[in-house]
């Protein structure tokens, strides 16, 4: 399949339906790249004209801002908004809830106004509109699956139902963790923790959250964030349960279930 | 005799109100030490929050058991205050049960209702004491509560138990005195609860009973005056400040961090120098990035600190705290209040603030605590009265990084990567779309 960059669209005078903001994890992290590819495959399969920024995409500045480095955040924001406005981007979809939060809540004050969607909401709409069709009796049918709310999709932006509706469309048996929805527990990566060693404590946040997920007896932990994916996978490995419990992004699950 | 009691009562009320007003003015001054922030938008949403969260206690019901106990104390407290109005007027006018003749049959019904509430308050406070001191709930026995905070909680609960006890004793004896037709004790129908306990006092002489009844009456109202003046020194101040705090609570999505327009502009002028205002000779105002001390925080952060009743719902859900890190969102709020009080005293002594070589950052809140935060907003979501500990954490982090260049080595590397490679990891920006080739191939 062909993935075209915004520069290529602009050169041919075409306008894509939506810009797929891949994010740094989705671009570089090997595990997250699989999610990127899965989501791009879905978009391609249902015939959505989408573009990526490619080499012109930069970090949104989220980890810098949350670590306290506002200068760096503002520089990244300035550059990204400059690029996006230069192309006249109106609609953005992203596979990272941190990028989503920045686009939805923090870029508008800086002159970056876009209609932004997280990929789980986007997928839910595609399913509702009948554009994405799920095959009967797919790989996940009847499977016990738990869903981990990422902080920046859940509490941060009150999106709890769209990802769950996508999972329900896969005909799974959804088992909730004790801490879910607005009381969901962080995977431990947010606030730039992903990029440093944890402070001294009795255990790690991701170990604790992975234990909660495993306690449900689910064989798959469904997630919506590349950082949660890494953290929970590590937590499950710590208990040596990686053979029986896997962490999957909702986009990967949909891609594997397309009719 | 009555006139002396009346004068004494008016004097006590005057003193109580005077000292309370003085302390309220101090608290107001302390809150105003914070940075200006305009929070006047969307009043209808704000009123709604105040009604749902403060008046309606919506978030309390995430934990049903303490919610019902708290509701009993809260409803009791508010409704029994109607009875205080009568007691207050009786005290000033030298009357006894002023409302009884006016309300007729409704009066014993009302008092009966107050008595039921009083029993509920008393029982709930006893259960609360047990939860704190015998069952030792984790949330109520964390290290930041050692010392004064624990005593504060026990003082509040004990005082409420005593006040309710005095109220019920007073009513019981009143009924005995009424039945003996003692002058001044207005005849009413029996009261729902205390009507069943008059036998306790039937053996005592009328003079003794009048003595006990008056003592209870006085201790009850003096207790209330004292409690009023205890509030501003206590975490119990939440009973008042929960209302404005819910009103001024954050309306934007919890995930959003406040912008820093001055830094936004600085970056803009750097990238587009023609947009920069012409240089002037005027000295730029001294300005600190982020917050180092309470004066750098917004007044809402400071109102938050005074509204905190140290319930620890924030800390109980904090992923860092749950996994043994030093961070406790409740401690962030307690530290902010303690530092604010310290600065307030400093101002009281010296007219203006004299540098005491201390600050909220470092002397109260350590970098280790700040660095443990995942910005997951669980604390913000958990607070029943719209306190935002994360806002303070973020502002202190900004100060650490931008003023002191104080960041862990790994973060400095991450900053460097973002700046040079446009990603937090050390990858070549040219490889950003490498996955496309893999997908094509």
């Amino acid at each position: 399949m062909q993935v075209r960059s915004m520069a290529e669209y602009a050169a041919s005078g075409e306008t894509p339906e939506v810009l797929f903001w891949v994010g740094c994890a989705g671009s570089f992290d090997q595990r997250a790249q699989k999610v990127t590819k899965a989501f791009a495959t879905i978009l391609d399969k249902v015939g959505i004209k989408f573009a990526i920024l490619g080499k012109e995409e930069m970090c949104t500045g989220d980890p810098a801002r949350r670590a306290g480095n506002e200068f760096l955040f503002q520089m990244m924001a300035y550059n990204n908004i400059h690029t996006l406005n230069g192309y006249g981007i109106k609609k953005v979809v992203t596979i990272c809830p941190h990028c989503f939060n920045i686009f939805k809540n923090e870029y508008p004050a800086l002159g970056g106004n876009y209609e932004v969607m997280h990929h789980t909401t986007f997928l839910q709409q595609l399913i509702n509109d009948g554009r994405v069709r799920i095959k009967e009796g797919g790989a996940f049918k009847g499977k016990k699956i738990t869903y981990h709310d990422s902080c920046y999709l859940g509490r941060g932006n009150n999106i709890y139902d769209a990802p769950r509706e996508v999972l329900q469309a896969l005909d799974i048996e959804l088992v909730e963790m004790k801490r879910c929805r607005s009381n969901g527990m962080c995977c431990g990566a947010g606030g730039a923790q992903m990029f440093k060693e944890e402070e001294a404590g009795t255990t790690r946040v991701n170990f604790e959250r992975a234990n909660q997920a495993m306690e449900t007896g689910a064989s798959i932990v469904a997630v919506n964030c590349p950082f949660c994916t890494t953290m929970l996978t590590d937590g499950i490995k710590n208990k040596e349960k990686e053979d029986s419990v896997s962490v999957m992004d909702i986009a990967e699950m949909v891609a594997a279930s397309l009719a | 005799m009555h006139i002396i009691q009346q004068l004494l009562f008016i004097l006590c009320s005057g003193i109580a109100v005077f000292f309370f007003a003085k302390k309220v003015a101090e608290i107001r001054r302390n809150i105003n030490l914070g940075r200006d922030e305009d929070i006047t938008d969307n009043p209808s949403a704000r009123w709604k929050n105040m009604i749902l969260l403060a008046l309606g206690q919506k978030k309390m019901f995430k934990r049903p058991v303490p919610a019902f106990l708290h509701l009993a104390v809260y409803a009791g407290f508010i409704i029994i205050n109607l009875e205080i109005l009568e007691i207050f007027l009786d005290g000033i006018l030298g009357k006894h049960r002023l409302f009884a003749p006016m309300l007729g049959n409704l009066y014993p019904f009302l008092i009966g209702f107050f008595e039921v509430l009083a029993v509920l308050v008393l029982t709930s406070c006893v259960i609360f004491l047990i939860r704190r001191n015998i069952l030792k709930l984790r949330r109520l026995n964390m290290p930041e509560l050692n010392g004064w905070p624990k005593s504060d909680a026990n003082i509040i609960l004990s005082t409420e138990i005593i006040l309710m006890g005095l109220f019920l004793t007073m009513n019981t004896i009143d009924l005995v005195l009424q039945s003996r037709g003692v002058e001044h004790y207005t005849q009413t129908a029996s009261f729902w609860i205390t009507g069943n306990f008059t036998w306790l006092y039937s053996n005592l002489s009328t003079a003794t009973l009048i003595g006990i009844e008056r003592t209870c009456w006085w201790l009850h109202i003096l207790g209330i005056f004292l409690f009023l003046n205890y509030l501003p020194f206590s975490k119990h101040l939440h009973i008042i400040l929960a209302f404005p705090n819910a009103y001024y609570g954050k309306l934007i999505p919890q995930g959003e961090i406040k912008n820093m327009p001055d830094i936004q502009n600085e970056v803009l002028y750097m990238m587009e120098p023609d947009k920069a205002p012409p240089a002037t000779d005027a000295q730029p105002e001294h300005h600190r990035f982020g917050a180092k001390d309470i004066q750098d925080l917004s007044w809402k952060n400071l109102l938050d600190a005074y509204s905190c009743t140290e319930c620890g719902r924030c800390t109980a859900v904090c992923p860092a705290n749950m996994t043994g890190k030093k961070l406790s969102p409740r401690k962030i709020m307690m530290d902010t209040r303690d530092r604010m009080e310290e600065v307030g005293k400093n101002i009281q002594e010296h007219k203006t603030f004299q540098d005491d070589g201390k600050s909220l950052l470092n002397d109260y809140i350590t970098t280790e605590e700040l660095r443990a935060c995942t910005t997951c907003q669980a604390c913000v979501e958990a607070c029943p009265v719209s306190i935002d500990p994360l806002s303070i954490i973020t502002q202190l982090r900004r100060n650490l990084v931008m003023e002191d260049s104080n960041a862990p080595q790994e973060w400095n590397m991450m900053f460097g990567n973002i700046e040079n490679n446009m990603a937090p990891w050390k990858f070549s920006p040219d490889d950003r779309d490498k996955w496309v080739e893999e997908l094509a191939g």
Side-chain angles (χ1 to χ4, degrees):
Chain A
M1 65 176 277
Q2 224 20 50
V3 177
R4 295 162 71 194
S5 72
M6 204 48 228
E8 288 164 344
Y9 270 98
S12 64
E14 285 177 86
T15 318
E17 227 177 293
V18 63
L19 176 82
F20 172 21
W21 182 272
V22 184
C24 301
S27 300
F28 295 112
D29 181 89
Q30 283 195 336
R31 175 70 187 82
Q33 278 177 348
K34 291 186 184 165
V35 181
T36 308
K37 290 174 189 168
F39 187 62
T41 308
I42 299 169
L43 294 179
D44 183 63
K45 196 147 184 191
V46 299
I48 288 175
K49 264 174 80 179
F50 72 98
I52 59 167
L53 277 184
K55 294 177 183 35
E56 286 185 283
E57 189 186 281
M58 297 181 184
C59 171
T60 57
D62 168 81
R65 182 171 238 196
R66 271 146 187 90
N69 194 337
E70 183 75 4
F71 273 106
L72 186 51
F73 164 75
Q74 293 284 352
M75 275 172 39
M76 302 318 288
Y78 176 91
N79 287 321
N80 280 325
I81 292 169
H82 203 75
T83 308
L84 292 164
N85 290 356
Y87 284 125
I89 301 290
K90 298 273 182 305
K91 200 171 167 187
V92 179
V93 62
T94 175
I95 51 169
C96 172
H98 296 267
C99 297
F100 168 73
N101 178 65
I102 291 267
F103 273 102
K104 177 173 166 282
N105 299 320
E106 300 181 9
Y107 276 1
L110 312 176
N113 293 288
Y114 320 101
E115 185 200 331
V116 58
M117 265 198 237
H118 183 259
H119 71 297
T120 53
T121 314
F122 198 77
L123 288 172
Q124 183 232 349
Q125 293 190 359
L126 290 177
I127 291 171
N128 282 0
D129 296 347
R131 289 179 81 177
V132 162
R133 279 179 301 119
I134 305 294
K135 66 178 163 212
E136 292 288 325
F140 306 105
K141 187 177 160 61
K143 271 204 170 161
K144 223 177 180 187
I145 291 171
T146 191
Y147 170 69
H148 166 79
D149 289 280
S150 68
C151 303
Y152 278 85
L153 196 62
R155 267 189 300 276
N157 291 292
N158 281 317
I159 298 177
Y160 301 109
D161 294 326
R164 286 179 169 80
E165 281 170 31
V166 175
L167 288 172
Q168 297 294 8
L170 303 180
D171 222 2
I172 64 147
E173 185 200 336
L174 182 66
V175 279
E176 293 286 1
M177 289 182 251
K178 209 170 157 196
R179 286 192 66 176
C180 63
R181 304 182 73 97
S182 67
N183 190 34
M185 185 185 164
C186 179
C187 71
Q193 296 293 337
M194 184 73 194
F195 306 102
K196 74 187 244 308
E197 193 49 51
E198 275 192 36
E199 300 304 310
T202 47
T203 180
R204 286 169 179 271
V205 177
N206 60 329
F207 290 180
E208 179 68 29
R209 185 54 171 169
N211 288 347
Q212 294 172 8
M214 288 185 282
E215 273 165 20
T216 63
S219 57
I220 295 173
V221 186
V223 292
N224 63 56
C225 168
F227 301 107
C228 298
T229 307
T230 305
M231 291 308 244
L232 295 177
T233 306
D234 288 351
I236 290 164
K237 276 185 188 155
N238 176 57
K239 277 274 157 86
E240 297 175 350
K241 283 277 158 50
E242 64 267 35
D243 293 334
S244 52
V245 185
S246 55
V247 181
M248 285 186 89
D249 191 281
I250 287 176
E252 295 178 290
M253 297 174 68
V254 171
S257 311
L258 290 177
Chain B
M1 182 60 195
H2 279 311
I3 194 78
I4 298 173
Q5 280 203 29
Q6 269 171 272
L7 287 174
L8 212 56
F9 182 83
I10 293 169
L11 185 70
C12 289
S13 323
I15 293 172
V17 171
F18 172 78
F19 280 104
F20 181 69
K22 192 163 168 275
K23 195 65 196 168
V24 166
E26 276 175 34
I27 288 174
R28 202 187 140 80
R29 178 205 61 204
N30 289 354
I31 291 172
N32 281 328
L33 290 172
R35 193 162 46 71
D36 270 346
E37 185 186 353
D38 181 30
I39 318 182
T40 50
D41 62 308
N42 207 345
S44 60
R46 296 188 177 282
W47 281 109
K48 194 177 153 203
N49 272 351
M50 190 171 96
I51 288 164
L52 282 178
L53 297 172
L55 195 68
Q57 317 215 331
K58 186 178 158 205
K59 283 199 176 175
M60 288 294 289
F61 282 88
K62 286 191 171 183
R63 289 169 188 260
V65 174
F68 279 109
L69 296 171
H70 183 269
L71 181 68
V73 178
Y74 162 78
F77 187 86
I78 290 193
I79 298 169
I80 295 169
N81 268 326
L82 296 172
E83 169 62 4
I84 309 272
L85 180 70
E86 185 190 38
I87 294 176
F88 190 75
L89 290 174
D90 279 350
I92 290 181
L93 302 171
K95 302 278 187 196
H96 189 72
R97 297 201 183 268
L98 183 68
F99 294 164
M102 304 177 198
L103 297 177
N105 285 336
L106 187 63
Y107 188 81
F109 171 81
L110 277 177
I111 298 290
F113 182 55
F114 296 155
E115 286 186 347
V116 172
L117 288 170
V119 171
L120 281 173
V121 171
L122 204 148
T123 318
S124 302
C125 287
V126 171
I127 298 172
F128 278 144
L129 279 175
I130 293 171
R131 282 162 57 92
R132 276 181 186 269
N133 300 292
I134 298 171
L135 299 177
K136 291 204 179 289
L137 259 69
R138 184 175 176 265
R139 164 164 78 86
L140 305 172
N141 282 279
M142 287 181 176
E144 68 257 28
L145 296 181
N146 287 339
W148 165 246
K150 274 189 187 167
S151 312
D152 188 15
N154 288 331
I155 290 170
I156 296 160
L157 292 170
S158 311
T159 308
E160 284 178 11
I161 291 171
I162 292 169
L163 287 177
M164 293 304 120
L166 289 168
F167 175 71
L168 293 170
T169 311
M170 186 171 93
N171 281 357
T172 319
I173 295 178
D174 202 293
L175 288 174
V176 179
L177 291 169
Q178 283 182 36
S179 70
R180 293 184 190 174
V182 180
E183 196 205 338
H184 197 69
Y185 287 90
T186 315
Q187 291 290 332
T188 66
S190 185
F191 304 141
W192 292 351
I193 306 261
T194 54
N196 302 309
F197 293 92
T198 47
W199 54 271
L200 275 170
Y201 302 100
S202 51
N203 291 334
L204 297 177
S205 75
T206 300
T208 315
L209 285 178
I210 292 178
I212 303 177
E213 192 276 336
R214 284 291 85 194
T215 311
C216 286
W217 190 92
W218 272 100
L219 285 177
H220 177 251
I221 193 69
L222 287 180
I224 285 167
F225 287 155
L226 278 174
F227 203 49
L228 178 73
N229 276 284
Y230 178 75
L231 282 185
F233 297 91
S234 158
K235 75 192 189 84
H236 208 48
L237 191 54
H238 83 289
I239 62 169
I240 298 171
L241 293 186
F243 292 85
N245 212 57
Y247 181 87
Y248 290 114
K250 191 173 178 177
L251 293 181
I252 55 173
Q254 269 171 13
E256 180 177 342
I257 283 187
K258 289 253 167 65
N259 189 31
M260 293 183 76
D262 36 358
I263 296 184
Q264 182 193 346
N265 285 332
E266 220 163 298
V267 169
L268 178 71
Y269 304 153
M270 189 173 75
M271 307 302 264
E272 300 174 41
D274 53 304
K275 288 197 173 150
T280 56
D281 292 338
Q283 283 290 318
E285 207 183 322
H286 173 70
H287 186 81
R288 216 180 236 167
F289 291 133
K292 184 175 177 146
D293 213 342
I294 55 135
Q295 295 93 334
D296 309 320
L297 293 170
S298 149
W299 66 269
K300 173 60 168 68
N301 298 134
L302 303 184
L303 178 64
D304 275 356
Y306 271 125
S307 307
C308 175
T309 196
E310 300 163 15
C311 72
R313 281 167 172 74
C314 52
T315 296
V317 295
C318 173
N321 190 277
M322 286 174 63
T323 53
K325 318 297 187 287
K326 284 210 175 115
L327 176 65
S328 160
R330 166 170 56 189
K331 180 179 170 290
I332 301 284
M333 302 320 299
M334 293 168 70
D335 285 341
T336 305
R337 179 168 177 173
D338 288 348
R339 174 60 183 159
M340 195 170 24
E341 292 276 313
E342 187 176 55
V343 171
K345 280 197 191 100
N346 183 312
I347 293 174
Q348 209 113 309
E349 277 171 34
H350 305 101
K351 297 265 190 245
T352 55
F353 178 66
Q354 302 291 305
D355 189 7
D356 57 359
K358 288 204 219 165
S359 58
L360 178 63
L361 179 59
N362 300 326
D363 292 294
Y364 286 81
I365 300 170
T366 61
T367 47
E368 185 176 341
E369 291 165 65
L370 295 171
R371 282 187 193 161
C373 177
T374 68
T375 72
C376 76
Q377 318 132 48
C379 55
V380 187
E381 177 71 37
C383 182
V385 298
S386 307
I387 293 171
D388 185 351
L390 179 56
S391 166
I392 299 180
I393 294 172
T394 309
Q395 293 176 71
L396 295 178
R397 273 188 173 187
R398 281 174 169 169
N399 191 270
L400 273 182
V401 170
M402 291 191 285
E403 294 274 343
D404 297 345
S405 304
N406 183 349
Q409 185 52 33
E410 301 128 295
W411 272 4
N412 284 329
M413 279 162 59
M414 179 260 287
F415 296 152
N417 288 332
I418 291 179
E419 209 172 333
N420 300 316
N421 308 326
M422 290 61 164
W425 300 285
K426 205 177 171 118
F427 287 111
S428 163
D430 283 339
D431 291 341
R432 191 174 269 272
D433 52 0
K434 218 173 170 190
W435 61 272
V436 174
E437 293 163 31
E438 290 162 20
L439 200 60

